[in-house]
Amino acid sequence: MTSGPAAPYAGLRARAAVRAERGPGGRTRITRLRSDGPLALRESGGAVYVVGAGAGPLGGDDLELSVEVGPGARLSVRSAAATLVLPGREGAGASRLAVRAHVAAGGRLVVTPEPVIAAAGCDHHATAEVTLDEGAELVWREEIVLGRHGEPPGRYTGRLDVTAGATPLLRHELRIGEDATSGAVLGDARAAGTLLITGADAEPYAEEGLAVLPLAGPGVLVTAMAADAVRLRERLTAGRRRVTP
Amino acid sequence: MGLGPHDGREPREPRPRRALRLGIGGPVGSGKTALVAALCRLLREEAALAVVTNDIYTTEDADFLRRNAVLDEDRIAAVRTGCCPHTAIRDDISANLDAVETLEDRHGPLDLVIVESGGDNLTATFSRGLADRQIFVLDVSGGDKVPRKGGPGVTTADLLVVNKTDLAPLVGADLTVMARDAERVRAGLPVAFTSLRERPDAPEVVSWVRAVLAAHADA
Amino acid sequence: MDAVLLLLADSRLPAGGHAHSGGLETAAATGVVHDLATLTAFLRGRLATAGLVTAGLAAAACAHAREPAGNAPPGGAAPRARTPDGWERLDAEADARTPSPAQRRASRAQGRALLRVARGLWPGFVLDLPAGAAGGPHHPIVLGAAVAAAGGVPVRAAQIAAYGAVTVPASAAIRLLGLDPLGVYRVLAGLAARVDAVAAEAAASVRAGGLPAASAPALDVFAELHDRAGTRLFES
């Protein structure tokens, strides 16, 4: 320990954005693609990839991604690899990632990144606010792994707010903290995830580690828990097969 | 609080006439469900009926009634009691009231809703907030001392049914003793001796229910 | 706390709570909860998730019910018009935080029962919910409105909701697992400070214009498994 107080670590601040619009002839064009710092965006094979430039997010980082899908446009957002959320330097504080997305009438947004790994000591807050206009569709997948192999996870909070028109469709937060190992929350699972498919329907279903939940509004939430990321993906995929568009 | 007319349900017409609510209680195995089945079979042509069952295990009683097709499936509702059948008919009757009103909304106007309790001990009774009239069902195999011991079910039920009289010689129960004790502890309230196995139409009980129904209709 | 609020918190309140287990019945059936230690962990997790969410909804409903409908409140502050669609909005917020259909049904069933009690206690107690709120109002919303009717403030509504989030499954555990009631109440006493903290967090969130949304994936799975189970003693 040093004797004096360490200078606060400011972390990185990044504001990235992507916009997709329906062009002449019905094809979607990416009309805006702004990378910033650790949020590097690449267009490839009809999708936009978030390519991690450097490690992180690290404690103290403050990242924002804005996603705009125009009327009738279709956009798929993925990531090139799993995201490893790490603690920052001492005193750096929490890391934040805020995603704001708007899907205009008749548009479709599919967000299926690779898992987020909450490494030991991290303190990460992810928020996503998605607004859907009339007839807009959303597929949103989130997968969280509790720590790297053999380590306890740090703190992680992921909140997803989806609003269809003026109606809240889903308000869903997963907190990885001291109570996550409760039998009411995740038990001994090491990975947890959800898959939201709006406009779809399904019969309610559950088995160990998986539930298929038709929402009060138009859409289905598949929620799953598993021992690792591979089995988690298998369960989410099995759940998705029970969803009818 | 708002002052609007809605409470989360469709605005409701004033109920023209609420159905008679008849509670049927008594220990496990005394023949409550068989009696409910008999009443449904014999009264369903002359009265609009529905049944709420309170089963401590699963929805077995409701399933029995459905299997035996004594009523249409959607006229039978099952209430789960959280291991406390007496609580659900006496201390916290909300789930039963909810079930009764749902049946009345769905099939009304009804003449009779039977609420069958989950099997319980001799202290169980129906709240007056749930049942207008109640029948308590004993069987002779419990021993001929049961009426003498009393308990609120035995002493205050509007009708006490002593079932399985055919078993009396086998279990050494003296029906005369039971009748005498019941009359003493019940201060003149009626008692019916039945053998639902030998007389599945339970004529005494059915005529008692008919009389109660007629009185309710006149009121 | 005022005695009239204690009535609303009392497990003997005839509002149907005794027949619900808050997921405990399935947790017990699958062996997840089998003793005081696993019950403690279950209750802590439930409090931090479902407890926080219902506390937030109850606090929001209480705050909404306390807003004067057009009249200037005593003290001369500017009147805040209660939005006519406020209850409908809260109903939708509760739905959006309850992805499990079985949990939505359980919440509305308990809401109907509590509404019946509230009408008995306060003649004229009405919630302006549209007919579209099929199945009746969500339980924490009725609770918040009832606390307001009893003169209570939002943090009290949050406290009663958070308290119920642990006492309902604790009571079910006593009945289902035969756990020593003294031991279970020792666990509840140990959680009391957390109940207060969750209520304070929920009320603070509502004051700041937010509404908690903490999810419990295992409770979602349990709720749907319970709905399909052949043998069940509790409604949820």
PDB file of all heavy atoms in Angstrom, chain B residues 1-2 4 6-9 56 58 80-82 84 91-92 94 97-98 101, chain C residues 14-16 112 116 119 125-129 133 175 230-233 235:
ATOM      1  N   MET B   1     -56.349   6.480  -3.909  1.00  0.00           N
ATOM      2  CA  MET B   1     -57.502   5.737  -4.412  1.00  0.00           C
ATOM      3  C   MET B   1     -58.259   6.568  -5.430  1.00  0.00           C
ATOM      4  O   MET B   1     -58.446   7.748  -5.248  1.00  0.00           O
ATOM      5  CB  MET B   1     -58.464   5.427  -3.277  1.00  0.00           C
ATOM      6  CG  MET B   1     -58.061   4.228  -2.497  1.00  0.00           C
ATOM      7  SD  MET B   1     -59.243   3.988  -1.180  1.00  0.00           S
ATOM      8  CE  MET B   1     -58.979   5.465  -0.244  1.00  0.00           C
ATOM      9  N   GLY B   2     -58.683   5.914  -6.433  1.00  0.00           N
ATOM     10  CA  GLY B   2     -59.504   6.601  -7.414  1.00  0.00           C
ATOM     11  C   GLY B   2     -60.964   6.392  -7.073  1.00  0.00           C
ATOM     12  O   GLY B   2     -61.322   5.699  -6.138  1.00  0.00           O
ATOM     13  N   GLY B   4     -63.148   5.774  -9.712  1.00  0.00           N
ATOM     14  CA  GLY B   4     -63.744   5.219 -10.921  1.00  0.00           C
ATOM     15  C   GLY B   4     -64.446   3.906 -10.642  1.00  0.00           C
ATOM     16  O   GLY B   4     -64.355   3.367  -9.553  1.00  0.00           O
ATOM     17  N   HIS B   6     -63.954   0.987 -11.997  1.00  0.00           N
ATOM     18  CA  HIS B   6     -63.315  -0.272 -12.357  1.00  0.00           C
ATOM     19  C   HIS B   6     -62.408  -0.769 -11.252  1.00  0.00           C
ATOM     20  O   HIS B   6     -61.831  -0.002 -10.527  1.00  0.00           O
ATOM     21  CB  HIS B   6     -62.509  -0.107 -13.632  1.00  0.00           C
ATOM     22  CG  HIS B   6     -63.329   0.380 -14.772  1.00  0.00           C
ATOM     23  ND1 HIS B   6     -64.525  -0.187 -15.105  1.00  0.00           N
ATOM     24  CD2 HIS B   6     -63.126   1.390 -15.632  1.00  0.00           C
ATOM     25  CE1 HIS B   6     -65.029   0.452 -16.144  1.00  0.00           C
ATOM     26  NE2 HIS B   6     -64.215   1.418 -16.476  1.00  0.00           N
ATOM     27  N   ASP B   7     -62.276  -2.057 -11.181  1.00  0.00           N
ATOM     28  CA  ASP B   7     -61.372  -2.641 -10.209  1.00  0.00           C
ATOM     29  C   ASP B   7     -60.571  -3.770 -10.842  1.00  0.00           C
ATOM     30  O   ASP B   7     -60.089  -4.650 -10.178  1.00  0.00           O
ATOM     31  CB  ASP B   7     -62.148  -3.173  -9.019  1.00  0.00           C
ATOM     32  CG  ASP B   7     -63.100  -4.297  -9.396  1.00  0.00           C
ATOM     33  OD1 ASP B   7     -63.204  -4.587 -10.593  1.00  0.00           O
ATOM     34  OD2 ASP B   7     -63.710  -4.874  -8.504  1.00  0.00           O
ATOM     35  N   GLY B   8     -60.447  -3.775 -12.131  1.00  0.00           N
ATOM     36  CA  GLY B   8     -59.665  -4.821 -12.771  1.00  0.00           C
ATOM     37  C   GLY B   8     -60.522  -5.942 -13.328  1.00  0.00           C
ATOM     38  O   GLY B   8     -60.021  -6.877 -13.896  1.00  0.00           O
ATOM     39  N   ARG B   9     -61.812  -5.835 -13.137  1.00  0.00           N
ATOM     40  CA  ARG B   9     -62.690  -6.817 -13.762  1.00  0.00           C
ATOM     41  C   ARG B   9     -63.705  -6.071 -14.602  1.00  0.00           C
ATOM     42  O   ARG B   9     -63.878  -4.868 -14.466  1.00  0.00           O
ATOM     43  CB  ARG B   9     -63.431  -7.629 -12.706  1.00  0.00           C
ATOM     44  CG  ARG B   9     -62.516  -8.574 -11.958  1.00  0.00           C
ATOM     45  CD  ARG B   9     -63.315  -9.306 -10.935  1.00  0.00           C
ATOM     46  NE  ARG B   9     -62.499 -10.419 -10.463  1.00  0.00           N
ATOM     47  CZ  ARG B   9     -62.986 -11.567 -10.059  1.00  0.00           C
ATOM     48  NH1 ARG B   9     -64.272 -11.780 -10.100  1.00  0.00           N
ATOM     49  NH2 ARG B   9     -62.207 -12.519  -9.635  1.00  0.00           N
ATOM     50  N   ILE B  56     -56.379 -31.278   0.103  1.00  0.00           N
ATOM     51  CA  ILE B  56     -55.045 -31.092   0.653  1.00  0.00           C
ATOM     52  C   ILE B  56     -53.998 -31.646  -0.305  1.00  0.00           C
ATOM     53  O   ILE B  56     -52.886 -31.190  -0.321  1.00  0.00           O
ATOM     54  CB  ILE B  56     -54.879 -31.710   2.055  1.00  0.00           C
ATOM     55  CG1 ILE B  56     -55.265 -33.179   2.074  1.00  0.00           C
ATOM     56  CG2 ILE B  56     -55.646 -30.926   3.066  1.00  0.00           C
ATOM     57  CD1 ILE B  56     -54.822 -33.872   3.359  1.00  0.00           C
ATOM     58  N   THR B  58     -53.113 -32.382  -4.310  1.00  0.00           N
ATOM     59  CA  THR B  58     -53.409 -32.222  -5.732  1.00  0.00           C
ATOM     60  C   THR B  58     -54.836 -31.735  -5.959  1.00  0.00           C
ATOM     61  O   THR B  58     -55.442 -31.077  -5.154  1.00  0.00           O
ATOM     62  CB  THR B  58     -53.185 -33.531  -6.523  1.00  0.00           C
ATOM     63  OG1 THR B  58     -54.196 -34.466  -6.181  1.00  0.00           O
ATOM     64  CG2 THR B  58     -51.838 -34.110  -6.252  1.00  0.00           C
ATOM     65  N   ARG B  80     -56.242 -24.708  -3.858  1.00  0.00           N
ATOM     66  CA  ARG B  80     -55.138 -25.283  -3.075  1.00  0.00           C
ATOM     67  C   ARG B  80     -55.001 -24.501  -1.778  1.00  0.00           C
ATOM     68  O   ARG B  80     -55.137 -23.292  -1.761  1.00  0.00           O
ATOM     69  CB  ARG B  80     -53.843 -25.239  -3.884  1.00  0.00           C
ATOM     70  CG  ARG B  80     -53.863 -26.294  -4.953  1.00  0.00           C
ATOM     71  CD  ARG B  80     -52.753 -26.107  -5.965  1.00  0.00           C
ATOM     72  NE  ARG B  80     -53.172 -26.741  -7.193  1.00  0.00           N
ATOM     73  CZ  ARG B  80     -53.912 -26.149  -8.124  1.00  0.00           C
ATOM     74  NH1 ARG B  80     -54.255 -24.888  -7.975  1.00  0.00           N
ATOM     75  NH2 ARG B  80     -54.293 -26.790  -9.189  1.00  0.00           N
ATOM     76  N   THR B  81     -54.739 -25.220  -0.715  1.00  0.00           N
ATOM     77  CA  THR B  81     -54.898 -24.610   0.601  1.00  0.00           C
ATOM     78  C   THR B  81     -53.596 -24.432   1.356  1.00  0.00           C
ATOM     79  O   THR B  81     -53.624 -24.078   2.536  1.00  0.00           O
ATOM     80  CB  THR B  81     -55.854 -25.467   1.455  1.00  0.00           C
ATOM     81  OG1 THR B  81     -55.243 -26.744   1.666  1.00  0.00           O
ATOM     82  CG2 THR B  81     -57.181 -25.667   0.776  1.00  0.00           C
ATOM     83  N   GLY B  82     -52.459 -24.677   0.721  1.00  0.00           N
ATOM     84  CA  GLY B  82     -51.193 -24.473   1.416  1.00  0.00           C
ATOM     85  C   GLY B  82     -51.075 -25.297   2.687  1.00  0.00           C
ATOM     86  O   GLY B  82     -50.607 -24.798   3.700  1.00  0.00           O
ATOM     87  N   CYS B  84     -53.255 -26.183   4.683  1.00  0.00           N
ATOM     88  CA  CYS B  84     -54.137 -25.791   5.786  1.00  0.00           C
ATOM     89  C   CYS B  84     -55.579 -25.747   5.328  1.00  0.00           C
ATOM     90  O   CYS B  84     -56.136 -24.668   5.111  1.00  0.00           O
ATOM     91  CB  CYS B  84     -53.740 -24.419   6.326  1.00  0.00           C
ATOM     92  SG  CYS B  84     -52.138 -24.411   7.091  1.00  0.00           S
ATOM     93  N   ASP B  91     -60.557 -19.280   8.313  1.00  0.00           N
ATOM     94  CA  ASP B  91     -59.842 -18.054   8.699  1.00  0.00           C
ATOM     95  C   ASP B  91     -59.582 -17.134   7.520  1.00  0.00           C
ATOM     96  O   ASP B  91     -59.602 -15.926   7.654  1.00  0.00           O
ATOM     97  CB  ASP B  91     -58.502 -18.405   9.349  1.00  0.00           C
ATOM     98  CG  ASP B  91     -58.646 -19.455  10.416  1.00  0.00           C
ATOM     99  OD1 ASP B  91     -58.826 -20.634  10.059  1.00  0.00           O
ATOM    100  OD2 ASP B  91     -58.596 -19.099  11.592  1.00  0.00           O
ATOM    101  N   ASP B  92     -59.247 -17.707   6.379  1.00  0.00           N
ATOM    102  CA  ASP B  92     -58.936 -16.902   5.198  1.00  0.00           C
ATOM    103  C   ASP B  92     -59.636 -17.535   4.008  1.00  0.00           C
ATOM    104  O   ASP B  92     -59.100 -18.399   3.329  1.00  0.00           O
ATOM    105  CB  ASP B  92     -57.422 -16.844   4.974  1.00  0.00           C
ATOM    106  CG  ASP B  92     -57.060 -15.945   3.803  1.00  0.00           C
ATOM    107  OD1 ASP B  92     -57.977 -15.518   3.066  1.00  0.00           O
ATOM    108  OD2 ASP B  92     -55.863 -15.679   3.613  1.00  0.00           O
ATOM    109  N   SER B  94     -60.553 -16.244   1.226  1.00  0.00           N
ATOM    110  CA  SER B  94     -60.507 -15.444   0.002  1.00  0.00           C
ATOM    111  C   SER B  94     -60.409 -16.305  -1.260  1.00  0.00           C
ATOM    112  O   SER B  94     -61.072 -16.019  -2.252  1.00  0.00           O
ATOM    113  CB  SER B  94     -59.355 -14.444   0.076  1.00  0.00           C
ATOM    114  OG  SER B  94     -58.150 -15.078   0.412  1.00  0.00           O
ATOM    115  N   LEU B  97     -63.844 -17.803  -1.902  1.00  0.00           N
ATOM    116  CA  LEU B  97     -64.790 -16.801  -2.405  1.00  0.00           C
ATOM    117  C   LEU B  97     -64.489 -16.481  -3.862  1.00  0.00           C
ATOM    118  O   LEU B  97     -65.399 -16.343  -4.691  1.00  0.00           O
ATOM    119  CB  LEU B  97     -64.686 -15.522  -1.568  1.00  0.00           C
ATOM    120  CG  LEU B  97     -65.291 -15.574  -0.160  1.00  0.00           C
ATOM    121  CD1 LEU B  97     -65.042 -14.252   0.558  1.00  0.00           C
ATOM    122  CD2 LEU B  97     -66.784 -15.863  -0.227  1.00  0.00           C
ATOM    123  N   ASP B  98     -63.189 -16.355  -4.150  1.00  0.00           N
ATOM    124  CA  ASP B  98     -62.765 -16.065  -5.510  1.00  0.00           C
ATOM    125  C   ASP B  98     -63.254 -17.161  -6.469  1.00  0.00           C
ATOM    126  O   ASP B  98     -63.783 -16.892  -7.543  1.00  0.00           O
ATOM    127  CB  ASP B  98     -61.237 -15.986  -5.522  1.00  0.00           C
ATOM    128  CG  ASP B  98     -60.721 -15.217  -6.706  1.00  0.00           C
ATOM    129  OD1 ASP B  98     -61.318 -14.187  -7.038  1.00  0.00           O
ATOM    130  OD2 ASP B  98     -59.722 -15.662  -7.300  1.00  0.00           O
ATOM    131  N   GLU B 101     -67.113 -17.006  -6.849  1.00  0.00           N
ATOM    132  CA  GLU B 101     -67.562 -15.883  -7.680  1.00  0.00           C
ATOM    133  C   GLU B 101     -67.166 -16.075  -9.141  1.00  0.00           C
ATOM    134  O   GLU B 101     -67.908 -15.680 -10.047  1.00  0.00           O
ATOM    135  CB  GLU B 101     -67.001 -14.578  -7.118  1.00  0.00           C
ATOM    136  CG  GLU B 101     -67.720 -14.194  -5.825  1.00  0.00           C
ATOM    137  CD  GLU B 101     -67.138 -12.947  -5.168  1.00  0.00           C
ATOM    138  OE1 GLU B 101     -66.256 -12.302  -5.776  1.00  0.00           O
ATOM    139  OE2 GLU B 101     -67.569 -12.631  -4.055  1.00  0.00           O
TER     140      GLU B 101
ATOM    141  N   PRO C  14     -56.821 -11.969   6.105  1.00  0.00           N
ATOM    142  CA  PRO C  14     -57.473 -12.964   5.230  1.00  0.00           C
ATOM    143  C   PRO C  14     -57.410 -12.567   3.757  1.00  0.00           C
ATOM    144  O   PRO C  14     -58.416 -12.277   3.142  1.00  0.00           O
ATOM    145  CB  PRO C  14     -58.902 -13.007   5.762  1.00  0.00           C
ATOM    146  CG  PRO C  14     -59.112 -11.676   6.403  1.00  0.00           C
ATOM    147  CD  PRO C  14     -57.784 -11.227   6.926  1.00  0.00           C
ATOM    148  N   ALA C  15     -56.219 -12.548   3.211  1.00  0.00           N
ATOM    149  CA  ALA C  15     -56.031 -12.137   1.823  1.00  0.00           C
ATOM    150  C   ALA C  15     -55.326 -13.219   1.007  1.00  0.00           C
ATOM    151  O   ALA C  15     -54.658 -12.928   0.013  1.00  0.00           O
ATOM    152  CB  ALA C  15     -55.240 -10.822   1.769  1.00  0.00           C
ATOM    153  N   GLY C  16     -55.471 -14.450   1.436  1.00  0.00           N
ATOM    154  CA  GLY C  16     -55.033 -15.556   0.598  1.00  0.00           C
ATOM    155  C   GLY C  16     -53.559 -15.909   0.660  1.00  0.00           C
ATOM    156  O   GLY C  16     -53.119 -16.860   0.013  1.00  0.00           O
ATOM    157  N   ARG C 112     -56.474  -9.705  -6.106  1.00  0.00           N
ATOM    158  CA  ARG C 112     -57.938  -9.756  -5.985  1.00  0.00           C
ATOM    159  C   ARG C 112     -58.339  -9.964  -4.533  1.00  0.00           C
ATOM    160  O   ARG C 112     -59.256  -9.329  -4.022  1.00  0.00           O
ATOM    161  CB  ARG C 112     -58.506 -10.928  -6.802  1.00  0.00           C
ATOM    162  CG  ARG C 112     -58.572 -10.720  -8.279  1.00  0.00           C
ATOM    163  CD  ARG C 112     -59.533 -11.721  -8.933  1.00  0.00           C
ATOM    164  NE  ARG C 112     -59.249 -13.126  -8.660  1.00  0.00           N
ATOM    165  CZ  ARG C 112     -58.408 -13.874  -9.345  1.00  0.00           C
ATOM    166  NH1 ARG C 112     -57.738 -13.362 -10.359  1.00  0.00           N
ATOM    167  NH2 ARG C 112     -58.233 -15.140  -9.050  1.00  0.00           N
ATOM    168  N   ARG C 116     -60.356  -7.362  -1.976  1.00  0.00           N
ATOM    169  CA  ARG C 116     -61.579  -7.704  -1.228  1.00  0.00           C
ATOM    170  C   ARG C 116     -61.444  -7.249   0.232  1.00  0.00           C
ATOM    171  O   ARG C 116     -62.372  -6.669   0.806  1.00  0.00           O
ATOM    172  CB  ARG C 116     -61.783  -9.225  -1.292  1.00  0.00           C
ATOM    173  CG  ARG C 116     -63.115  -9.711  -0.774  1.00  0.00           C
ATOM    174  CD  ARG C 116     -63.126 -11.215  -0.598  1.00  0.00           C
ATOM    175  NE  ARG C 116     -62.879 -11.973  -1.812  1.00  0.00           N
ATOM    176  CZ  ARG C 116     -63.814 -12.231  -2.730  1.00  0.00           C
ATOM    177  NH1 ARG C 116     -65.030 -11.789  -2.556  1.00  0.00           N
ATOM    178  NH2 ARG C 116     -63.520 -12.939  -3.795  1.00  0.00           N
ATOM    179  N   ARG C 119     -61.541  -3.385   0.471  1.00  0.00           N
ATOM    180  CA  ARG C 119     -62.913  -2.860   0.358  1.00  0.00           C
ATOM    181  C   ARG C 119     -63.687  -3.078   1.637  1.00  0.00           C
ATOM    182  O   ARG C 119     -64.550  -2.276   1.999  1.00  0.00           O
ATOM    183  CB  ARG C 119     -63.642  -3.566  -0.774  1.00  0.00           C
ATOM    184  CG  ARG C 119     -63.263  -3.065  -2.134  1.00  0.00           C
ATOM    185  CD  ARG C 119     -63.947  -3.979  -3.117  1.00  0.00           C
ATOM    186  NE  ARG C 119     -63.797  -3.528  -4.470  1.00  0.00           N
ATOM    187  CZ  ARG C 119     -63.993  -4.316  -5.512  1.00  0.00           C
ATOM    188  NH1 ARG C 119     -64.337  -5.577  -5.315  1.00  0.00           N
ATOM    189  NH2 ARG C 119     -63.845  -3.857  -6.708  1.00  0.00           N
ATOM    190  N   PHE C 125     -63.099   1.928  -1.285  1.00  0.00           N
ATOM    191  CA  PHE C 125     -61.757   1.656  -1.796  1.00  0.00           C
ATOM    192  C   PHE C 125     -61.874   1.092  -3.211  1.00  0.00           C
ATOM    193  O   PHE C 125     -62.462   0.051  -3.439  1.00  0.00           O
ATOM    194  CB  PHE C 125     -61.064   0.632  -0.906  1.00  0.00           C
ATOM    195  CG  PHE C 125     -59.643   0.341  -1.306  1.00  0.00           C
ATOM    196  CD1 PHE C 125     -58.595   1.011  -0.696  1.00  0.00           C
ATOM    197  CD2 PHE C 125     -59.346  -0.600  -2.283  1.00  0.00           C
ATOM    198  CE1 PHE C 125     -57.281   0.748  -1.049  1.00  0.00           C
ATOM    199  CE2 PHE C 125     -58.041  -0.863  -2.651  1.00  0.00           C
ATOM    200  CZ  PHE C 125     -57.008  -0.188  -2.031  1.00  0.00           C
ATOM    201  N   VAL C 126     -61.348   1.841  -4.156  1.00  0.00           N
ATOM    202  CA  VAL C 126     -61.471   1.437  -5.565  1.00  0.00           C
ATOM    203  C   VAL C 126     -60.138   1.694  -6.236  1.00  0.00           C
ATOM    204  O   VAL C 126     -59.463   2.671  -5.941  1.00  0.00           O
ATOM    205  CB  VAL C 126     -62.568   2.265  -6.278  1.00  0.00           C
ATOM    206  CG1 VAL C 126     -62.645   1.861  -7.751  1.00  0.00           C
ATOM    207  CG2 VAL C 126     -63.911   2.076  -5.626  1.00  0.00           C
ATOM    208  N   LEU C 127     -59.738   0.808  -7.132  1.00  0.00           N
ATOM    209  CA  LEU C 127     -58.566   1.060  -7.965  1.00  0.00           C
ATOM    210  C   LEU C 127     -59.055   1.319  -9.375  1.00  0.00           C
ATOM    211  O   LEU C 127     -59.837   0.543  -9.912  1.00  0.00           O
ATOM    212  CB  LEU C 127     -57.638  -0.158  -7.984  1.00  0.00           C
ATOM    213  CG  LEU C 127     -56.773  -0.384  -6.764  1.00  0.00           C
ATOM    214  CD1 LEU C 127     -55.920  -1.615  -6.978  1.00  0.00           C
ATOM    215  CD2 LEU C 127     -55.887   0.814  -6.510  1.00  0.00           C
ATOM    216  N   ASP C 128     -58.572   2.409  -9.972  1.00  0.00           N
ATOM    217  CA  ASP C 128     -58.983   2.730 -11.336  1.00  0.00           C
ATOM    218  C   ASP C 128     -58.215   1.886 -12.342  1.00  0.00           C
ATOM    219  O   ASP C 128     -57.409   2.406 -13.094  1.00  0.00           O
ATOM    220  CB  ASP C 128     -58.693   4.204 -11.626  1.00  0.00           C
ATOM    221  CG  ASP C 128     -59.778   5.086 -11.041  1.00  0.00           C
ATOM    222  OD1 ASP C 128     -60.946   4.728 -11.181  1.00  0.00           O
ATOM    223  OD2 ASP C 128     -59.431   6.112 -10.443  1.00  0.00           O
ATOM    224  N   LEU C 129     -58.417   0.591 -12.309  1.00  0.00           N
ATOM    225  CA  LEU C 129     -57.742  -0.239 -13.298  1.00  0.00           C
ATOM    226  C   LEU C 129     -58.709  -0.520 -14.426  1.00  0.00           C
ATOM    227  O   LEU C 129     -59.896  -0.714 -14.199  1.00  0.00           O
ATOM    228  CB  LEU C 129     -57.289  -1.551 -12.679  1.00  0.00           C
ATOM    229  CG  LEU C 129     -55.974  -1.500 -11.916  1.00  0.00           C
ATOM    230  CD1 LEU C 129     -55.617  -2.884 -11.432  1.00  0.00           C
ATOM    231  CD2 LEU C 129     -54.861  -0.953 -12.781  1.00  0.00           C
ATOM    232  N   ALA C 133     -57.009  -5.121 -17.414  1.00  0.00           N
ATOM    233  CA  ALA C 133     -56.119  -5.766 -16.436  1.00  0.00           C
ATOM    234  C   ALA C 133     -56.748  -7.088 -16.033  1.00  0.00           C
ATOM    235  O   ALA C 133     -57.234  -7.263 -14.935  1.00  0.00           O
ATOM    236  CB  ALA C 133     -55.922  -4.854 -15.233  1.00  0.00           C
ATOM    237  N   ARG C 175     -44.378 -25.461   7.019  1.00  0.00           N
ATOM    238  CA  ARG C 175     -45.423 -26.460   6.770  1.00  0.00           C
ATOM    239  C   ARG C 175     -44.934 -27.606   5.886  1.00  0.00           C
ATOM    240  O   ARG C 175     -45.339 -28.738   6.062  1.00  0.00           O
ATOM    241  CB  ARG C 175     -46.634 -25.775   6.132  1.00  0.00           C
ATOM    242  CG  ARG C 175     -47.454 -24.995   7.146  1.00  0.00           C
ATOM    243  CD  ARG C 175     -48.586 -24.246   6.499  1.00  0.00           C
ATOM    244  NE  ARG C 175     -48.202 -22.897   6.140  1.00  0.00           N
ATOM    245  CZ  ARG C 175     -48.886 -22.119   5.297  1.00  0.00           C
ATOM    246  NH1 ARG C 175     -49.973 -22.594   4.706  1.00  0.00           N
ATOM    247  NH2 ARG C 175     -48.495 -20.897   5.042  1.00  0.00           N
ATOM    248  N   GLY C 230     -47.902 -32.249 -10.761  1.00  0.00           N
ATOM    249  CA  GLY C 230     -49.130 -32.988 -10.496  1.00  0.00           C
ATOM    250  C   GLY C 230     -49.603 -32.766  -9.070  1.00  0.00           C
ATOM    251  O   GLY C 230     -50.762 -32.531  -8.807  1.00  0.00           O
ATOM    252  N   THR C 231     -48.678 -32.821  -8.135  1.00  0.00           N
ATOM    253  CA  THR C 231     -49.025 -32.682  -6.732  1.00  0.00           C
ATOM    254  C   THR C 231     -48.561 -31.337  -6.226  1.00  0.00           C
ATOM    255  O   THR C 231     -47.380 -31.032  -6.251  1.00  0.00           O
ATOM    256  CB  THR C 231     -48.325 -33.773  -5.896  1.00  0.00           C
ATOM    257  OG1 THR C 231     -48.746 -35.038  -6.382  1.00  0.00           O
ATOM    258  CG2 THR C 231     -48.695 -33.647  -4.440  1.00  0.00           C
ATOM    259  N   ARG C 232     -49.494 -30.522  -5.812  1.00  0.00           N
ATOM    260  CA  ARG C 232     -49.071 -29.279  -5.188  1.00  0.00           C
ATOM    261  C   ARG C 232     -50.053 -28.874  -4.122  1.00  0.00           C
ATOM    262  O   ARG C 232     -51.256 -29.058  -4.253  1.00  0.00           O
ATOM    263  CB  ARG C 232     -48.863 -28.167  -6.219  1.00  0.00           C
ATOM    264  CG  ARG C 232     -49.881 -28.167  -7.311  1.00  0.00           C
ATOM    265  CD  ARG C 232     -49.454 -27.228  -8.411  1.00  0.00           C
ATOM    266  NE  ARG C 232     -50.566 -27.037  -9.300  1.00  0.00           N
ATOM    267  CZ  ARG C 232     -50.985 -25.871  -9.750  1.00  0.00           C
ATOM    268  NH1 ARG C 232     -50.356 -24.772  -9.420  1.00  0.00           N
ATOM    269  NH2 ARG C 232     -52.020 -25.794 -10.542  1.00  0.00           N
ATOM    270  N   LEU C 233     -49.489 -28.374  -3.061  1.00  0.00           N
ATOM    271  CA  LEU C 233     -50.291 -27.997  -1.910  1.00  0.00           C
ATOM    272  C   LEU C 233     -50.567 -26.508  -1.895  1.00  0.00           C
ATOM    273  O   LEU C 233     -51.499 -26.056  -1.250  1.00  0.00           O
ATOM    274  CB  LEU C 233     -49.554 -28.391  -0.632  1.00  0.00           C
ATOM    275  CG  LEU C 233     -49.227 -29.889  -0.561  1.00  0.00           C
ATOM    276  CD1 LEU C 233     -48.131 -30.158   0.449  1.00  0.00           C
ATOM    277  CD2 LEU C 233     -50.458 -30.677  -0.219  1.00  0.00           C
ATOM    278  N   GLU C 235     -50.860 -22.632  -4.016  1.00  0.00           N
ATOM    279  CA  GLU C 235     -51.278 -22.057  -5.300  1.00  0.00           C
ATOM    280  C   GLU C 235     -50.075 -21.630  -6.133  1.00  0.00           C
ATOM    281  O   GLU C 235     -50.124 -21.622  -7.352  1.00  0.00           O
ATOM    282  CB  GLU C 235     -52.198 -20.859  -5.058  1.00  0.00           C
ATOM    283  CG  GLU C 235     -53.574 -21.217  -4.507  1.00  0.00           C
ATOM    284  CD  GLU C 235     -54.492 -21.829  -5.566  1.00  0.00           C
ATOM    285  OE1 GLU C 235     -54.145 -21.808  -6.749  1.00  0.00           O
ATOM    286  OE2 GLU C 235     -55.554 -22.343  -5.187  1.00  0.00           O
TER     287      GLU C 235
END
